[in-house]
């Protein structure tokens, strides 16, 4: 061991939870990063070709989000909403059409530009698009929000970043507010990796995203009231809504 190696080995800088989370981030190979600012380049490349046959590139809202409104599970008249990992903005624009004032955030500046173009084409009002890391302190997300919506962001986080996710919800979700998400489903017809949490650290990658059971989603968000957890309905190509059965949909409310 050389002098520099000995000096590096002697560095003891872990003092806070954030220090621990950053240390755990570093256990993953760089090209596995889909959740920090360092993952923005990967997502920019992902969104660069708009003609790729990616199901959620369509300009349609999630079927569960549409259903929540139609069934009266979300309050009428809108409010303030946060769209986490908004991509090209399909759910953000739908929420704006319902009267919500929307903050829509994504790591990818390429996705945000696409979302802004869609907003301009449709004449949508009331959406503020933000390019950045939703979990970073400097990102301009000033709750409280009456609705936090996540379509496909949560399942790209490594296990330790659930702590960051729950902290964000605790900070920005209004009392009585709703939180809803879609996430890879474990089991038959599902998608994503079903490895135990510890194995992701041994491998140094997330294998495209984590699959969850309905019970595990209820456990992670046990601090919220469970309204509904179900598989997403598979929607036909000519449907006005997006739907893929390999996803869970979940709706919770904060007391």
């Amino acid at each position: 061991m050389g002098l520099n190696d000995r000096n590096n080995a002697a560095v003891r800088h872990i003092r806070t939870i954030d220090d621990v989370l950053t240390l755990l981030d570093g256990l993953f190979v760089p090209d596995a990063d889909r959740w920090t600012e360092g993952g923005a380049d990967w997502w920019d490349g992902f969104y660069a070709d708009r003609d790729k046959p990616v199901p959620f590139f369509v300009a349609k809202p999630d079927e569960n989000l549409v259903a929540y409104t139609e069934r009266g599970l979300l309050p009428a008249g809108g409010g303030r909403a946060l769209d986490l990992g908004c991509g090209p903005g399909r759910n953000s624009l739908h929420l704006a059409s319902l009267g919500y004032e929307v903050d829509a955030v994504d790591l990818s500046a390429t996705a945000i530009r696409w979302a802004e173009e869609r907003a301009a084409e449709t004449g949508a009002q009331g959406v503020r698009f933000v390019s950045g890391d939703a979990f970073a302190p400097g990102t301009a997300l000033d709750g409280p929000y009456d609705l936090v919506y996540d379509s496909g962001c949560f399942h790209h986080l490594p296990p330790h970043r659930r702590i960051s996710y729950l902290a964000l919800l605790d900070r920005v979700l209004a009392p009585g507010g709703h939180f809803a998400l879609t996430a890879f489903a474990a089991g038959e017809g599902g998608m994503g990796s079903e490895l135990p949490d510890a194995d992701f650290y041994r491998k140094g990658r997330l294998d495209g995203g984590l699959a969850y059971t309905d019970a595990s989603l209820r456990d992670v968000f046990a601090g919220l009231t469970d309204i509904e957890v179900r598989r997403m309905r598979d929607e036909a190509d000519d449907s006005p809504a997006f739907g893929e059965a390999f996803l869970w949909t979940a709706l919770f409310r904060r007391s």
Side-chain angles (χ1 to χ4, degrees):
M1 181 181 290
L3 178 59
N4 287 338
D5 292 330
R6 288 197 299 271
N7 288 340
N8 289 336
V11 173
R12 305 284 185 247
H13 63 273
I14 304 297
R15 297 189 303 111
T16 69
I17 291 176
D18 283 341
D19 291 336
V20 174
L21 296 177
T22 301
L23 173 69
L24 292 173
D25 286 344
L27 297 182
F28 291 88
V29 296
D31 64 0
D33 183 359
R34 304 285 188 273
W35 64 94
T36 74
E37 199 69 53
D41 288 345
W42 190 92
W43 286 111
D44 282 340
F46 180 81
Y47 286 110
D49 181 2
R50 300 181 183 183
D51 295 324
K52 282 191 303 188
V54 177
F56 57 85
F57 277 10
V58 297
K60 303 176 182 181
D62 288 340
E63 64 83 7
N64 56 299
L65 184 58
V66 174
Y68 295 153
T69 304
E70 292 177 346
R71 295 164 55 199
L73 297 179
L74 292 177
R80 297 195 68 214
L82 172 63
D83 187 3
L84 287 173
C86 66
R90 57 193 182 83
N91 290 305
S92 307
L93 299 182
H94 177 70
L95 288 168
S97 74
L98 298 175
Y100 281 90
E101 179 185 341
V102 184
D103 285 345
V105 61
D106 200 283
L107 275 177
S108 171
T110 301
I112 291 296
R113 284 194 294 272
W114 189 2
E116 289 173 335
E117 290 173 22
R118 281 181 169 176
E121 290 168 1
T122 61
Q125 301 292 319
V127 186
R128 180 174 70 106
F129 292 105
V130 179
S131 176
D133 181 352
F135 307 104
T139 306
L141 302 177
D142 53 345
Y145 296 102
D146 303 293
L147 171 64
V148 175
Y149 192 70
D150 170 356
S151 184
C153 174
F154 177 70
H155 57 226
H156 287 298
L157 299 179
H160 65 280
R161 282 295 171 182
R162 293 178 202 136
I163 296 172
S164 305
Y165 196 100
L166 292 171
L168 176 67
L169 287 181
D170 187 60
R171 180 171 63 85
V172 304
L173 185 59
H178 289 79
F179 164 63
L181 83 162
T182 72
F184 288 156
E188 184 177 356
M191 186 174 182
S193 176
E194 299 186 30
L195 287 175
D197 283 348
D199 285 4
F200 294 114
Y201 298 93
R202 297 186 181 102
K203 296 183 66 173
R205 58 182 64 250
L206 300 180
D207 294 338
L210 279 63
Y212 286 86
T213 65
D214 54 344
S216 61
L217 288 176
R218 290 185 172 99
D219 284 344
V220 172
F221 300 107
L224 303 173
T225 300
D226 166 14
I227 297 176
E228 178 181 84
V229 180
R230 64 167 173 85
R231 289 293 275 268
M232 179 177 262
R233 289 195 298 269
D234 197 2
E235 295 288 328
D237 290 344
D238 59 355
S239 169
F242 166 86
E244 293 285 353
F246 58 75
L247 295 165
W248 286 115
T249 70
L251 178 65
F252 300 89
R253 183 179 63 249
R254 185 172 191 176
S255 299

